[in-house]
Amino acid sequence: MKPSPPSSLTILLFLLLPTITISLSPPLPPTPSPTSLPHSSIPSSSSSSPLDPNQLKALQSLNIPTSKDPCSQPSFHNATQCDASKPFRHLISLRLTNCSSYLSLSFTALKSLSTLNTLQLLNCPITPIRFPPQLTSSLRSFTCINSLHKISGVWLSHLANLTELTVSNVQLKASGPYVILSHMTKLKTLTISHCNLTGSLPRHIHSNLTHIDFSNNNLKGTIPPSITMLDSLEILNLSSNALKGEIPSSIGDLISLKNLSLASNSFSGSVPDSLSAIPGLVHLDLSSNQLNGSIPKFISEMRNLNYLNLANNNLRGVLPFNSSFIKSLAVLKVGGNSNLCYNHSVLSSKLKLEVAPCDKHGMPVSPPPSKRSSSADDSTDSDYNDDGDYDDGGSHKKEHHHGPNKVVLGVAIALSSIVFLIVFLILCSKCCR
Ligand SMILES: *[C@@H]1O[C@H](CO)[C@@H](O)[C@H](O)[C@H]1NC(C)=O
Ligand SMILES: *[C@@H]1O[C@H](CO)[C@@H](O)[C@H](O)[C@H]1NC(C)=O
Ligand SMILES: *[C@@H]1O[C@H](CO)[C@@H](O)[C@H](O)[C@H]1NC(C)=O
Ligand SMILES: *[C@@H]1O[C@H](CO)[C@@H](O)[C@H](O)[C@H]1NC(C)=O
Ligand SMILES: *[C@@H]1O[C@H](CO)[C@@H](O)[C@H](O)[C@H]1NC(C)=O
Ligand SMILES: *[C@@H]1O[C@H](CO)[C@@H](O)[C@H](O)[C@H]1NC(C)=O
Ligand SMILES: *[C@@H]1O[C@H](CO)[C@@H](O)[C@H](O)[C@H]1NC(C)=O
Ligand SMILES: *[C@@H]1O[C@H](CO)[C@@H](O)[C@H](O)[C@H]1NC(C)=O
Ligand SMILES: *[C@@H]1O[C@H](CO)[C@@H](O)[C@H](O)[C@H]1NC(C)=O
Ligand SMILES: *[C@@H]1O[C@H](CO)[C@@H](O)[C@H](O)[C@H]1NC(C)=O
């Protein structure tokens, strides 16, 4: 019985593949892998002390596999992290992910986990229980994403030592953010988003917050002075709420601000001039409000700006930007402002700004081109396009044209060689029969 061609082919491929893979992968540094060391059967953590037996039991009650030492890194799904204390190590970080809805938190288990400073619940639709005081006192970071059946602001407010709070996609019952935050005087990073949180922004926030994200809730009212007094604030995201009124000029007091989104609210009035006082602003999103007046020229002098979205407002007049400024941005959106126009002797229609060119009075000559008909606009606008300088298709810079990835190319070449080889071998085997 002769060997069947397919099996000999497979053997040949197996012989060839490693050579191809090795030639593709970058040379590995000659570090000895831990598994090749003489004592490979002994896990590295065995040199340090084991996990506290009570905490081991608590983990088992939470369906966290403990067959492998939860203190060895990386642990099962990186769910646990321990300190280095003796004779027993203690958990400092725990993440529960994708829990069964039958899982229940027990007070006893949580009590023995009172060394935790970080607790994360991701996709854990379990029933919240009162946390033991030892745990609320030690927790510094609490994350609850799409987890816990229903929580109240009062329940959260007990976690008074937190520096970091993230609550997202959770049914949260509170008459306002102040209920949650009033005792959290050490908070630095705060996210409460997609929670249908009602009420207004708190009148007092007495802490050194660097990050506030209240996006996608039902917050009402105006921006109070308490917010603009947070001079360490780097991220402020109030998008998709029901906030209204003018953007206070005190917003310029937020001198550390990098990202600001007030998008999808009902803010009115003009874009405040005080924004020019924020030196490090990289991301400005004021889209989908009712802002009026003209776009201030100082925006084009903000050296760090990278993302600018002023779309869907009532802004009017001539766009005060030149093409070198527009090219310096990764994203520029100004469409949906029906009285806004661009000076066609300054900017090319090829930038596809979704605004109409101006007449000599600084008014749009025609209704602004819609997204869908933008290709048709090229021909109608071409008589305004008397400057050759901007013909490099500025709008296309937003799509990053990387050259074909070298690894992809290598793989493609390797694959086509394999196919070629197979065809060659099949032909060969047919001939030799
Ligand atoms: C665990 O964390 C390490 C380092 O942070 C990371 O490289 C690894 O992919 C993570 N493993 C899992 C299963 O999340
Ligand atoms: C949780 O479930 C999601 C989607 O079902 C899955 O992508 C993810 O890997 C799971 N994570 C863990 C740690 O089991
Ligand atoms: C916060 O932590 C300190 C010790 O770090 C502790 O004395 C205090 O009781 C804790 N506060 C609360 C409200 O748990
Ligand atoms: C928020 O309210 C909407 C509409 O009432 C509802 O569909 C959504 O599930 C709620 N979100 C949460 C996290 O409860
Ligand atoms: C804010 O930070 C400063 C210095 O970093 C500190 O002195 C002050 O106590 C902090 N304030 C609060 C409310 O934590
Ligand atoms: C604000 O939050 C929304 C939705 O949660 C997100 O898409 C957006 O990127 C955030 N913007 C900033 C500046 O953080
Ligand atoms: C801040 O803005 C920059 C630039 O647009 C963006 O890359 C970054 O993800 C933003 N950060 C947050 C937290 O939204
Ligand atoms: C802008 O709107 C405000 C009220 O929202 C109004 O008082 C003001 O006159 C408007 N300004 C312009 C230039 O239309
Ligand atoms: C574009 O505008 C910026 C800011 O207004 C200015 O500094 C720069 O010189 C202008 N560039 C050109 C080519 O006109
Ligand atoms: C357009 O720019 C040109 C050249 O800078 C200037 O002379 C003209 O007045 C501008 N038109 C409008 C409507 O601003």
Side-chain angles (χ1 to χ4, degrees):
M1 199 188 123
K2 59 172 184 173
S4 70
S7 67
S8 54
L9 259 182
T10 326
I11 292 164
L12 220 127
L13 277 179
F14 268 102
L15 288 174
L16 277 169
L17 266 174
T19 15
I20 295 167
T21 330
I22 285 164
S23 66
L24 277 174
S25 56
L28 289 167
T31 48
S33 101
T35 49
S36 67
L37 292 173
H39 303 289
S40 61
S41 58
I42 304 162
S44 57
S45 65
S46 68
S47 54
S48 33
S49 36
L51 181 63
D52 180 318
N54 284 330
Q55 297 202 326
L56 202 66
K57 240 186 273 167
L59 288 183
Q60 281 157 354
S61 80
L62 295 169
N63 294 340
I64 305 262
T66 53
S67 47
K68 189 186 160 209
D69 181 3
C71 290
S72 68
Q73 290 301 324
S75 56
F76 174 75
H77 288 303
N78 285 345
T80 50
Q81 245 183 302
C82 308
D83 65 10
S85 55
K86 284 172 184 184
F88 295 119
R89 301 176 78 177
H90 292 105
L91 286 163
I92 52 172
S93 171
L94 174 61
R95 177 166 63 227
L96 301 181
T97 312
N98 300 346
C99 311
S100 142
S101 51
Y102 301 112
L103 184 72
S104 64
L105 293 174
S106 85
F107 191 83
T108 330
L110 290 181
K111 200 167 170 188
S112 62
L113 293 175
S114 291
T115 53
L116 288 177
N117 57 43
T118 301
L119 178 58
Q120 299 183 310
L121 305 173
L122 310 178
N123 303 320
C124 280
I126 46 186
T127 307
I129 63 162
R130 187 167 65 86
F131 280 6
Q134 299 92 324
L135 181 58
T136 59
S137 156
S138 71
L139 272 187
R140 296 292 179 273
S141 172
F142 180 63
T143 300
C144 176
I145 298 176
N146 194 26
S147 296
L148 298 181
H149 272 310
K150 263 182 199 172
I151 49 176
S152 72
V154 174
W155 186 87
L156 274 177
S157 73
H158 290 133
L159 307 176
N161 267 341
L162 293 183
T163 59
E164 200 179 326
L165 172 63
T166 302
V167 183
S168 182
N169 254 299
V170 172
Q171 215 180 323
L172 176 56
K173 201 173 168 301
S175 51
Y178 73 95
V179 177
I180 304 161
L181 303 175
S182 53
H183 302 299
M184 292 186 191
T185 55
K186 298 171 184 165
L187 211 54
K188 284 196 171 291
T189 299
L190 168 65
T191 296
I192 300 179
S193 72
H194 292 97
C195 288
N196 291 344
L197 182 63
T198 56
S200 52
L201 291 167
R203 306 257 147 225
H204 300 281
I205 309 183
H206 43 110
S207 72
N208 293 336
L209 279 158
T210 61
H211 184 138
I212 295 182
D213 184 348
F214 276 130
S215 60
N216 288 279
N217 286 298
N218 297 325
L219 296 176
K220 295 184 177 58
T222 59
I223 297 180
S226 58
I227 298 278
T228 59
M229 275 161 27
L230 300 169
D231 52 17
S232 306
L233 202 60
E234 291 173 12
I235 310 256
L236 178 59
N237 195 344
L238 301 176
S239 63
S240 302
N241 279 285
L243 299 165
K244 63 177 176 41
E246 297 201 355
I247 301 172
S249 69
S250 58
I251 196 102
D253 298 345
L254 296 173
I255 49 161
S256 309
L257 207 57
K258 293 193 172 74
N259 294 37
L260 174 64
S261 177
L262 304 177
S264 303
N265 281 285
S266 300
F267 290 113
S268 56
S270 57
V271 177
D273 284 342
S274 61
L275 279 179
S276 65
I278 305 177
L281 204 61
V282 296
H283 184 115
L284 178 61
D285 189 350
L286 303 177
S287 62
S288 302
N289 281 289
Q290 284 122 46
L291 299 173
N292 65 9
S294 54
I295 296 180
K297 173 137 181 48
F298 70 77
I299 288 185
S300 71
E301 276 140 33
M302 302 189 88
R303 292 275 158 252
N304 295 305
L305 206 60
N306 178 252
Y307 178 106
L308 177 62
N309 191 348
L310 301 170
N312 304 316
N313 280 290
N314 300 321
L315 298 166
R316 58 189 300 120
V318 186
L319 196 67
F321 302 148
N322 61 23
S323 71
S324 57
F325 171 70
I326 292 175
K327 286 192 175 92
S328 74
L329 298 173
V331 175
L332 171 65
K333 292 181 183 171
V334 287
N337 290 284
S338 54
N339 291 316
L340 194 67
C341 60
Y342 70 92
N343 186 335
H344 57 80
S345 58
V346 176
L347 295 174
S348 157
S349 62
K350 294 201 170 126
L351 291 171
K352 299 206 169 67
L353 296 169
E354 294 177 27
V355 295
C358 303
D359 63 14
K360 61 178 185 295
H361 309 291
M363 295 295 287
V365 289
S366 56
S370 73
K371 275 180 198 169
R372 259 163 274 108
S373 65
S374 58
S375 56
D377 297 324
D378 277 348
S379 52
T380 52
D381 283 354
S382 59
D383 43 344
Y384 295 105
N385 187 18
D386 43 9
D387 49 341
D389 291 355
Y390 308 114
D391 280 0
D392 51 355
S395 67
H396 296 288
K397 78 193 166 74
K398 268 112 209 176
E399 296 123 49
H400 298 276
H401 288 293
H402 295 300
N405 189 318
K406 277 177 187 153
V407 174
V408 172
L409 209 71
V411 169
I413 291 170
L415 282 178
S416 32
S417 330
I418 291 171
V419 169
F420 181 80
L421 204 76
I422 291 171
V423 171
F424 178 78
L425 287 171
I426 288 172
L427 286 178
C428 242
S429 65
K430 292 240 167 93
C431 289
C432 304
R433 228 173 267 181

